[in-house]
Amino acid sequence: MRSTTITRTRTAASAKTGQAKTRKRAATIGAVLASVALVATACGNKAQPPGEGGDYPKGPVSVTAPAEPGSGWDTTARALVEALQKEDIVSTPLPVQNKPGGTGCSWLTSMMQQEKGKDDQIAITSLASQTMKARKLCKFGPEDATLIATLYVEDFMVVTPKDGDFKDLDSLVKALKDDPQKVTVAAAGDDTLPFALFAKEAGVDPADINFVNYDGGGEQTTAMLNGDAKVAIAGMSEFRSVIEAGDIEPLVTFAQEPLAAPFDKVPTAKDSGYDVTLGNWRGVYGPAEMPQEAVDFWATALEDVSKSDAWQETVKNNQWATEFHTGDEAQAYVDDAAKTVEEGVKETDLGNSK
């Protein structure tokens, strides 16, 4: 089977020395490991620290989660704003707004067109938007907008209701092989890719999978609890609270290594004999042609918050892998991720599905 790869880098920055140490780990799809090297180049312009020089921002800046509350985008937006304000990094109002539609496509299109050139908007983006573009369900991807920073990578997880049809991964695989149409899978745009790759590894045609589209973990959880979906797939943090409450149970994760406690007993697909590992990166972007002053401000503000205690606590609690880049480094990372997604979509023929 042809392989695609995302190279992930965990970066820890020292505030005292200003030097960074990076540790790379590859996330692979398929049976053969093929590494993708990211070319790390320095940002062309040094961002001014928030509040020093210039008078930006002059007023509130909206932070958009392009999905319903409870989604990974929503969780990220609200955690980010909380940390920025708690750490006194940004003093201007940062209202969070939810703009669902088209798995992020509706708001991304607005940022490319209606919000073009503005400086009072930033939004959360991720692998989801790249998958939508690769499937030709959206004209734009995050690599087309004003990318400001990548923040972290989160591992995908498949979950099921506590008293549902599946008690373990083997029972899910058996049901998929018996009749995949009976296994309704709640999945947003990016979630379909790792599940399709998993199905193919299990000997099931991805085209036969009964995907039902939801914008995020909140809607997916409701669908499962209402009986509208048998299983769901999303980032682990989108299900964390309901797993801890005992309403749903994890079946498998596509992490390269076992998760930390309390999810260390969740089997990985790779250790279960299905060689699929894939993570979902998330980051921040601005409107097309966003003024450089605004880009610089947010690049520096996000770098500062990425080192803060408040944000690091959120990262730890959600088991996110820090993947902070700005400027050319961020663009190179996202461009390579887009190529990985395109190859994965072709491999599973998701581009011909609805």
Side-chain angles (χ1 to χ4, degrees):
M1 179 183 294
R2 185 168 50 81
S3 168
T4 57
T5 304
I6 294 177
T7 300
R8 301 195 290 175
T9 307
R10 297 192 184 203
T11 305
S14 169
K16 294 182 179 180
T17 65
Q19 296 177 339
K21 296 186 297 181
T22 60
R23 181 175 63 190
K24 293 186 177 180
R25 53 179 198 165
T28 65
I29 301 172
V32 182
L33 177 65
S35 297
V36 174
L38 297 183
V39 179
T41 56
C43 299
N45 297 310
K46 178 66 175 177
Q48 291 182 329
E52 296 184 16
D55 56 357
Y56 177 85
K58 297 179 180 179
V61 176
S62 295
V63 182
T64 299
E68 297 285 355
S71 67
W73 284 325
D74 180 71
T75 299
T76 304
R78 296 183 189 280
L80 192 61
V81 167
E82 181 180 3
L84 285 166
Q85 295 179 331
K86 183 177 182 180
E87 300 287 344
D88 294 323
I89 294 171
V90 177
S91 58
T92 193
L94 300 174
V96 176
Q97 60 180 0
N98 294 90
K99 294 287 186 178
T103 313
C105 183
S106 297
W107 187 247
L108 177 55
T109 300
S110 180
M111 290 283 268
M112 293 296 297
Q113 298 174 349
Q114 282 75 28
E115 309 299 324
K116 185 177 180 179
K118 295 183 179 181
D119 64 3
D120 62 349
Q121 300 279 348
I122 60 173
I124 308 302
T125 187
S126 73
L127 189 82
S129 293
Q130 294 182 312
T131 306
M132 292 296 286
K133 183 180 179 181
R135 294 178 63 189
K136 303 187 186 306
L137 298 177
C138 190
K139 180 179 179 181
F140 304 107
E143 62 274 13
D144 301 316
T146 301
L147 184 67
I148 299 173
T150 58
L151 298 174
Y152 66 86
V153 173
E154 179 173 33
D155 293 306
F156 289 101
M157 179 180 283
V158 177
V159 298
T160 192
K162 182 178 181 180
D163 298 319
D165 294 346
F166 312 118
K167 300 303 180 185
D168 52 33
L169 183 60
D170 288 341
S171 61
L172 172 61
V173 171
K174 182 179 185 302
L176 288 171
K177 289 183 175 180
D178 289 344
D179 189 349
Q181 281 298 302
K182 289 185 178 180
V183 184
T184 48
V185 182
D190 55 327
D191 307 331
T192 57
L193 179 57
F195 198 94
L197 289 161
F198 163 70
K200 188 171 183 179
E201 277 281 298
V204 179
D205 188 343
D208 292 334
I209 301 299
N210 187 7
F211 287 118
V212 182
N213 185 65
Y214 295 93
D215 266 355
E219 290 185 349
Q220 291 169 311
T221 297
T222 300
M224 283 188 296
L225 297 180
N226 288 343
D228 296 328
K230 299 289 187 181
V231 297
I233 175 173
M236 187 275 289
S237 68
E238 299 184 55
F239 300 128
R240 182 166 65 97
S241 62
V242 282
I243 292 175
E244 292 173 347
D247 296 324
I248 63 175
E249 296 181 343
L251 292 175
V252 67
T253 175
F254 296 115
Q256 189 172 10
E257 301 172 353
L259 299 173
F263 303 111
D264 50 325
K265 301 300 183 183
V266 180
T268 67
K270 186 175 181 179
D271 288 343
S272 302
Y274 308 98
D275 195 5
V276 179
T277 61
L278 181 63
N280 181 18
W281 70 269
R282 290 195 178 100
V284 177
Y285 75 103
E289 300 182 12
M290 188 179 197
Q292 191 61 45
E293 178 186 25
V295 176
D296 290 347
F297 176 92
W298 286 110
T300 299
L302 293 173
E303 182 175 8
D304 289 346
V305 81
S306 72
K307 303 173 186 176
S308 70
D309 291 340
W311 180 252
Q312 287 300 318
E313 183 68 17
T314 298
V315 168
K316 179 181 178 181
N317 289 340
N318 288 306
Q319 298 197 31
W320 294 339
T322 297
E323 188 69 56
F324 188 83
H325 302 291
T326 58
D328 293 339
E329 285 187 1
Q331 193 67 49
Y333 180 87
V334 170
D335 286 346
D336 278 340
K339 294 175 183 177
T340 295
V341 169
E342 289 172 4
E343 291 176 9
V345 167
K346 291 178 181 177
E347 181 175 333
T348 57
D349 206 26
L350 278 176
N352 291 327
S353 61
K354 296 181 180 180

